[in-house]
Amino acid sequence: MSQKLTAAITAVGGYVPEDRLTNTDLEKIVDTNDEWIRTRTGIEERRILKGEGKATSDLCVPVVQEICKKRGISPEEIDCLIVATVTPDMLFPSTANITCDKVGAKNAWGFDMSAACSGFLYALTSGAMYIESGRFKKVIVVGADKMSSIVDYSDRTTCIIFGDGAGGVLLEPNYQGYGILDSILKSDGSGRTHLHMKAGGSLRPSSFETVAAKEHYIYQEGQAVFKFAVKGMADVSAELMERNRLSADDIAWLVPHQANKRIIDATAHRMGLSGEKVMVNIQRYGNTTAGTIPLCLWDWENKLNKGDNLVLAAFGGGFTWGATLVKWGH
Ligand code: UT7
């Protein structure tokens, strides 16, 4: 028995809204076509959170509830909730605060973490450190984004990619060597020129002008981001394998951020992994930003075996990127 305290994943939850936005639907909104979207991105449809008053916390609530139900705990037992998101309900208070209120997590503290598509990995690593410190026993980490709230549905290069969704995990102390074993997290703020939202922050507060200029939507230079993403995600995944002395045979699953099927394929190729070891659900949900990786874990949970080595990898706005090694524990 290992004496080292690690943070094991003991439950997984996920949630996608019912409303679907298919490629055929998008053909009616912008000048695009199903064939282009499938071949350039791998996406077939995305889910959209509709309804007055619905926000990112409404994606988080069912995730936290599912986790508590599966693990047989009350929300009052949660010590801390971290929500990775770039589409918080409000600038403040945090979506974590609002979610805790909605689910009755009366004893939890928490906060939002902004690292775009790498948000779940940043939050997972942070949450694991709270467990490893010995200070907290039950930390929930959720990746959630209502991307439809910041997508310009007249911009065909971005509106075809994104969807709404959330997923999350419960972290608990473990002494058998399961859980979050290593993480390499990186950032380069100069990448902000290629992917950002221009207004709504302290740099350019919201005004009639910012709304008229469509500055509250995602601005993305797709090709530039694509190039950095292919290199960043593959480099960091290879580095993680090397530093943990893992060969392709040692890895059961690659759990990649779902931004573009071509970026996923390039990462898997670099790691020497065949397609059947790669989780891909981009065709059903599109790019849900912080939601993609936990939604994969949610979709694949029944296929995972105790002791499986998983490499979680992401690249996104910031730029932020990283890879995390998880030994599956349940
Ligand atoms: O998740 C966070 C990080 N984000 C990413 O990782 C996204 C990375 N980028 C990408 O995935 C890709 O760059 C996109 C999917 C956004 C775009 O694909 P692309 O292969 O880079 O396309 P492109 O921008 O180079 O455009 C190629 C052509 C252009 O036409 P011309 O100039 O060659 O005639 C575009 O106008 O495709 C055209 N095009 C479209 N055609 C039909 C661009 N968007 C569309 C569209 N439908 N939706």
Side-chain angles (χ1 to χ4, degrees):
M1 191 172 105
S2 153
Q3 288 304 307
K4 196 173 171 235
L5 171 58
T6 56
I9 294 174
T10 55
V12 183
Y15 178 75
V16 286
E18 296 211 334
D19 276 297
R20 289 159 203 260
L21 181 66
T22 65
N23 291 351
T24 316
D25 295 332
L26 283 168
E27 285 177 5
K28 293 171 197 142
I29 304 172
V30 284
D31 178 16
T32 190
N33 59 79
D34 176 52
E35 216 252 320
W36 191 96
I37 302 172
R38 275 175 204 256
T39 52
R40 306 299 277 196
T41 70
I43 302 167
E44 292 168 22
E45 61 179 33
R46 323 104 194 100
R47 301 299 183 93
I48 305 294
L49 181 63
K50 289 190 177 161
E52 196 63 32
K54 293 279 182 206
T56 297
S57 65
D58 298 298
L59 301 170
C60 298
V61 165
V63 172
V64 174
Q65 286 170 335
E66 182 184 346
I67 287 173
C68 289
K69 194 168 168 219
K70 273 185 178 165
R71 187 69 183 92
I73 60 168
S74 141
E76 294 186 8
E77 292 175 60
I78 302 167
D79 294 317
C80 174
L81 173 68
I82 310 176
V83 176
T85 186
V86 287
T87 52
D89 290 25
M90 304 172 175
L91 274 179
F92 72 91
S94 74
T95 307
N97 280 174
I98 297 167
T99 304
C100 284
D101 175 51
K102 287 184 177 177
V103 300
K106 293 195 174 78
N107 300 308
W109 66 290
F111 55 91
D112 291 357
M113 190 169 263
S114 174
C117 301
S118 311
F120 184 74
L121 293 193
Y122 273 44
L124 184 68
T125 306
S126 307
M129 286 155 76
Y130 291 133
I131 297 284
E132 287 159 14
S133 75
R135 180 102 184 249
F136 300 103
K137 306 279 181 242
K138 287 184 171 53
V139 176
I140 292 185
V141 177
V142 175
D145 272 299
K146 184 188 170 189
M147 295 307 290
S148 61
S149 65
I150 57 167
V151 163
D152 176 0
Y153 285 98
S154 66
D155 173 6
R156 69 175 182 171
T157 61
T158 55
C159 75
I160 53 132
I161 304 173
F162 295 102
D164 303 339
V169 298
L170 173 64
L171 295 174
E172 292 187 82
N174 185 277
Y175 288 96
Q176 277 85 41
Y178 295 108
I180 318 309
L181 301 189
D182 194 15
S183 264
I184 302 175
L185 300 176
K186 310 231 180 196
S187 77
D188 177 359
S190 68
R192 68 188 180 281
T193 53
H194 304 295
L195 181 52
H196 58 260
M197 191 200 286
K198 294 190 187 305
S202 57
L203 179 65
R204 266 180 83 67
S206 311
S207 66
F208 286 117
E209 288 73 26
T210 62
V211 172
K214 295 186 167 187
E215 291 180 355
H216 296 271
Y217 294 128
I218 302 160
Y219 171 83
Q220 176 171 263
E221 291 163 6
Q223 271 187 19
V225 178
F226 185 90
K227 280 185 202 141
F228 281 105
V230 165
K231 183 165 172 11
M233 224 161 103
D235 278 356
V236 80
S237 303
E239 190 184 336
L240 187 79
M241 285 172 75
E242 213 173 289
R243 127 169 159 183
N244 287 278
R245 298 180 204 291
L246 295 170
S247 72
D249 288 342
D250 301 319
I251 292 164
W253 293 99
L254 168 65
V255 192
H257 170 53
Q258 313 279 308
N260 188 316
K261 178 70 166 53
R262 291 181 290 144
I263 301 173
I264 297 172
D265 291 345
T267 305
H269 181 72
R270 175 78 176 278
M271 295 168 74
L273 294 180
S274 54
E276 66 269 17
K277 285 187 170 186
V278 185
M279 295 187 191
V280 179
N281 58 15
I282 193 172
Q283 68 280 10
R284 289 189 287 138
Y285 308 142
N287 180 351
T288 57
T289 301
T292 60
I293 290 177
L295 275 172
C296 281
L297 295 176
W298 184 57
D299 273 349
W300 266 264
E301 194 183 10
N302 291 336
K303 293 200 180 83
L304 298 177
N305 296 309
K306 201 169 179 170
D308 279 354
N309 287 320
L310 276 52
V311 173
L312 285 44
F315 186 95
F319 293 134
T320 56
W321 68 107
T324 298
L325 175 64
V326 175
K327 193 173 274 294
W328 201 250
H330 74 282

